Amino acid sequence: MSDDKLVGIVLVSHSAEVAASVAELAKGLAGGGGAVVPVAAAGGTEGGGLGTSSELIAAAAASVDRGAGVAVLTDLGSAVLTVKALLAEGDELPEPTRLVDAPFVEGAVAAVVTASTGADLAAVEAAAVEAYSYRKV
């Protein structure tokens, strides 16, 4: 599988540090066994504060777009609302882009690992969503 047709992953958090750390964790746990998945963190505001930025999210999505779709995972409320607004506008995010309803950390790991196998956007989304069922005890 060539890296140019992989699903891209965007991780949206209210904190730049959280988004970057989850991206690093997910890429690290995906290991070197598959293709290198394009992952971008879109955390915080342009000024470095806590919050969400439609401009940072759109730029992150453009940076990971390889033609196979973009999966966007978010942390909290206004991150979800910001992504939904971008999707509603219709021309701010690559086609197809999906907002994935998944736990942020576990879903990100599942999405990146699945995308590294060359899976399509539906399979990447399904793997991330399935992370809701992961039991810890």
Side-chain angles (χ1 to χ4, degrees), residues 46-90:
E46 289 89 351
L50 294 176
T52 55
S53 163
S54 58
E55 290 82 11
L56 291 177
I57 296 166
S63 77
V64 301
D65 181 23
R66 302 294 184 274
V70 176
V72 181
L73 286 84
T74 62
D75 63 356
L76 303 168
S78 68
V80 174
L81 296 175
T82 303
V83 174
K84 283 184 175 183
L86 286 167
L87 288 168
E89 289 173 16

Side-chain angles (χ1 to χ4, degrees), residues 88-107:
E89 289 173 16
D91 61 349
E92 297 294 319
L93 298 174
E95 283 292 330
T97 294
R98 291 191 191 162
L99 173 59
V100 177
D101 182 12
F104 193 60
V105 175
E106 294 91 336

Side-chain angles (χ1 to χ4, degrees), residues 25 31-32 34 37-39 50 64-65 80 84 90-91 129 132-133 136:
L25 175 69
V37 176
V39 179
L50 294 176
V64 301
D65 181 23
V80 174
K84 283 184 175 183
D91 61 349
V129 170
Y132 272 127
S133 67
K136 296 181 180 160

